[in-house]
Structure formats: C-alpha cells, structure tokens
Amino acid sequence: MMRHPDEPTGSSPRPAPGGDMLDSLAVCASVVCMVHCLALPLLLAALPALATWFDPGETFHVAVLAFAVPTSALALIGGWRVHHAIPPVILGASGLVLMTLGIVFGGRAALETMLSVSGSLMLAFAHVANWRNRLTQTAATA
C-alpha cells in the first residue's frame, strides 16, 4: 500500500513547523550578541565621544535575554521532540545561564563580557547542533 508523501511514517514525529527558522534566527541572534559583546567595548574605547552619546545600558542585555530565552526554548525543545538528542538542550540551557550571569555581574566589565560571550557561543553551538540533528532525523525519516 502506497502512502501519501505528507503522511507521517510509523511513530516518527514530524518536524515542528518553523523549527529550522527558529534555529536560524537564534544562531543569528547569538552571533549579533557576540559581536556586540566583543566589538562594542573596543569601539567605545576608541571613540570616547561616541561612548557618551550611545550607551545601551543593562536594558539592552535584559532585552536580548528576554528574546533569547523563549526563542531558544521553542527551537531546542521543538528539535528535541524530533531527534531526541539531549546535548543541544543542555548546551543551550547552559548558554542561557551564562548569559543571565553576565547580567548579574554587569558591574564587572571583564567578567560580564566573558560570561556573555561564552554563553552566546554555547547557545549558538547548541542551535547549530539542534539544526544538524533535525536535518539528519528529517532525512532519515524521508
């Protein structure tokens, strides 16, 4: 008996709609965060006049984290439902914890940068791993 191409086979779950897009968006957001954390201090140190004009403050970091948490949760948990690989979820959660600690230690610039950049990198790697696992699982069930 032939099955329709859109019909799921066996007990393999179908990929969550938009999951690849969420992973892509989350990777891009992590890269933007990393560039912000690394480039902005250098730019501000080189251009003191600009530093007095533009200071995103802690509100920026809180807004980035408020965007990263739900986006990452949707993408990573949605991916886990497809491929059942737990390392991307653990890596992503660890990255979010480090990013949160970066906000907590906002008064100590070097520590804040180290925590935020490390967290962003971990989160980006988690989304890339999630993306690859999702593609592998989707190809295997096709």
Side-chain angles (χ1 to χ4, degrees):
M1 178 173 176
M2 297 285 294
R3 67 174 181 83
H4 190 271
D6 293 334
E7 182 179 299
T9 58
S11 63
S12 298
R14 296 184 72 168
D20 288 340
M21 184 184 71
L22 284 174
D23 279 322
S24 300
L25 182 64
V27 168
C28 289
S30 294
V31 169
V32 168
C33 180
M34 183 179 61
V35 167
H36 161 77
C37 290
L38 294 175
L40 191 61
L42 295 175
L43 182 65
L44 294 180
L47 303 169
L50 184 61
T52 59
W53 177 73
F54 177 72
D55 180 17
E58 289 308 305
T59 305
F60 175 78
H61 294 114
V62 172
V64 167
L65 190 63
F67 173 77
V69 169
T71 304
S72 296
L74 286 171
L76 294 172
I77 292 170
W80 173 80
R81 288 182 177 160
V82 173
H83 53 66
H84 302 289
I86 199 71
V89 177
I90 292 172
L91 189 61
S94 300
L96 290 170
V97 167
L98 289 178
M99 289 171 65
T100 303
L101 288 174
I103 292 172
V104 170
F105 292 105
R108 300 173 64 188
L111 183 59
E112 174 191 10
T113 300
M114 181 192 71
L115 290 168
S116 297
V117 169
S118 299
S120 293
L121 284 172
M122 289 176 76
L123 192 56
F125 284 126
H127 285 292
V128 169
N130 192 50
W131 199 353
R132 294 178 111 185
N133 287 335
R134 189 187 298 258
L135 290 175
T136 302
Q137 181 64 33
T138 303
T141 58

